[in-house]
Amino acid sequence: AQLTVGTSTSTFAGNVGIGVASGIDANLRVDANSATLTQEILKVKGGGSGGAYGFLVEANNGDDLFKVNTLSYNSYFPNGNVGIGITGPSAKLEIAQTGGTQFRIVSGDASGSQDVIIDLVSAFDYRGRGILYRNSNDSNRWFNGVPYNGGGYSIGYHTSQPEYKANSKLFVAATGNVGIGETSPERRLVLDGTLGTASLEIKKNSDRIVYFGTGSSSAADDAPVLLMYDQGTVKVQVSSVDNSYFNGGNVGIGTTGPLKLLTVKKATSTTTIATSEVIRLAGTAQAVGNKNELGFANYESNYNASVVIGAEIMSTVAYLKQDLYFATRDSTNDIAPTERMRITSAGQVNMTKGS
């Protein structure tokens, strides 16, 4: 018999069709009653607290594949992977689509501090947790999230392990400090430039405006700590291993309107000697005979100055004793100037007549 009716269980020996009379190609096939659907094709309704599920799909070995709990309103897949747009999913949820948006979360609740949230929970704090981006051949991987070994937020790149902290390209520590090329930033922003690359560069179109280097070697691109440009020409260079200079315009110290190449302005002055210094020349070696000099020359080359004003240490006792001297050169050859006048620490003036 095709239909066997029992007191608690009834069975069908063949396929069953509802809404269809032929071509029944499944144990149970339910077709819509018309082209314009006006009611559900299949409805499963359950209730009570007996613990059974309103809808259950099992594998041949008895493993649960899909459950619908009509009491708790939960639906879940206890075993296996779920594919959307793909028949062989390799992850718990895999979505395949050519172009367009493949995954979207839309919030229907505008209240509260959390609206649209993706919550990533790891069983161990030091495991990487985030989002992995890669191409179809499994190379050129990017990662953003909490890196392996934790400690902050990372955007990492690597061919196989972008989640490792060592492969971070931008790192935000739990303190809020940010590191670029640095995973232990001790300041609000730390940039670590290596291999002769700039730590920071600002451009307008292709014109370099400001360049911050590492100052860690004498290489052309690595020597400067700071370069400032105008129309492709370096105007300001600050270097820890090379020359530092201003190349263009006047420089003011204590003034915003320098009238000469270097203008130094003191905010206040007094009538007492040695209390209104504007510039001080001081040497590090304190030995009798050592000199500190101010030279005048007409060339940038390393020639002797033609005029020199200097101070010579005459005694190193206590706070030193120095003479002031003036030297000139009565020759067009590159020779050192000759002392012409000296004012001793005692106030005596000694004059030396030139040739």
Side-chain angles (χ1 to χ4, degrees):
Q2 294 285 57
L3 174 61
T4 301
V5 179
T7 57
S8 60
T9 303
S10 298
T11 60
F12 292 89
N15 296 338
V16 177
I18 300 177
V20 58
S22 61
I24 304 173
D25 50 3
N27 289 337
L28 174 62
R29 175 172 172 176
V30 182
D31 284 13
N33 58 354
S34 65
T36 58
L37 192 63
T38 58
Q39 64 183 19
E40 293 82 359
I41 297 176
L42 176 66
K43 179 186 287 188
V44 178
K45 186 175 182 180
S49 56
Y53 295 93
F55 188 77
L56 174 62
V57 178
E58 289 186 351
N60 289 334
N61 62 1
D63 289 342
D64 294 339
L65 298 180
F66 178 58
K67 294 180 177 181
V68 177
N69 190 323
T70 56
L71 183 62
S72 64
Y73 300 97
N74 292 326
S75 301
Y76 46 95
F77 297 85
N79 298 286
N81 299 330
V82 177
I84 300 177
I86 186 172
T87 57
S90 58
K92 287 299 181 182
L93 174 61
E94 184 171 347
I95 303 173
Q97 177 179 318
T98 302
T101 302
Q102 297 190 20
F103 182 63
R104 176 180 293 168
I105 301 175
V106 180
S107 171
D109 180 13
S111 62
S113 62
Q114 297 182 349
D115 192 6
V116 179
I117 299 294
I118 298 178
D119 190 6
L120 305 178
V121 181
S122 173
F124 302 96
D125 182 59
Y126 59 87
R127 297 295 185 187
R129 49 198 183 274
I131 300 176
L132 178 67
Y133 308 86
R134 59 187 177 90
N135 55 24
S136 57
N137 62 12
D138 203 36
S139 64
N140 301 318
R141 295 184 173 193
W142 285 92
F143 169 86
N144 68 276
V146 179
Y148 178 62
N149 284 332
Y153 176 86
S154 172
I155 296 178
Y157 173 82
H158 194 261
T159 56
S160 61
Q161 297 174 326
E163 74 280 5
Y164 274 60
K165 196 173 181 180
N167 297 322
S168 176
K169 303 304 178 184
L170 186 148
F171 187 83
V172 182
T175 59
N177 295 342
V178 178
I180 299 177
E182 171 63 54
T183 57
S184 299
E186 297 180 353
R187 299 290 184 268
R188 281 306 180 193
L189 176 61
V190 177
L191 301 96
D192 186 4
T194 58
L195 301 178
T197 58
S199 292
L200 178 64
E201 188 172 20
I202 300 175
K203 287 185 175 181
K204 181 179 181 182
N205 297 324
S206 60
D207 291 334
R208 179 184 282 178
I209 300 173
V210 179
Y211 174 103
F212 291 92
T214 60
S216 58
S217 75
S218 58
D221 283 340
D222 212 22
V225 175
L226 169 66
L227 292 176
M228 300 182 71
Y229 291 78
D230 178 42
Q231 302 297 317
T233 301
V234 177
K235 294 298 183 181
V236 177
Q237 173 171 305
V238 179
S239 176
S240 58
V241 294
D242 202 352
N243 296 326
S244 298
Y245 57 82
F246 293 88
N247 178 29
N250 298 332
V251 177
I253 300 176
T255 177
T256 58
L259 301 176
K260 303 298 180 182
L261 285 178
L262 176 60
T263 302
V264 182
K265 180 180 179 181
K266 194 171 184 295
T268 59
S269 60
T270 67
T271 58
T272 304
I273 293 176
T275 60
S276 295
E277 289 181 83
V278 176
I279 297 177
R280 172 176 290 200
L281 302 179
T284 57
Q286 297 183 2
V288 174
N290 284 357
K291 298 175 175 62
N292 294 315
E293 296 180 334
L294 178 63
F296 299 85
N298 293 326
Y299 302 96
E300 290 184 352
S301 301
N302 190 25
Y303 299 143
N304 284 292
S306 57
V307 176
V308 167
I309 301 173
E312 180 180 348
I313 297 176
M314 308 307 293
S315 173
T316 59
V317 176
Y319 300 103
L320 302 184
K321 200 164 61 169
Q322 301 183 79
D323 286 358
L324 177 66
Y325 62 89
F326 300 83
T328 63
R329 181 181 67 206
D330 188 20
S331 172
T332 57
N333 296 325
D334 181 27
I335 59 176
T338 302
E339 183 178 322
R340 308 300 184 183
M341 184 178 76
R342 177 178 289 256
I343 303 175
T344 68
S345 60
Q348 294 176 337
V349 180
N350 299 326
M351 302 291 293
T352 302
K353 185 178 180 180
S355 58

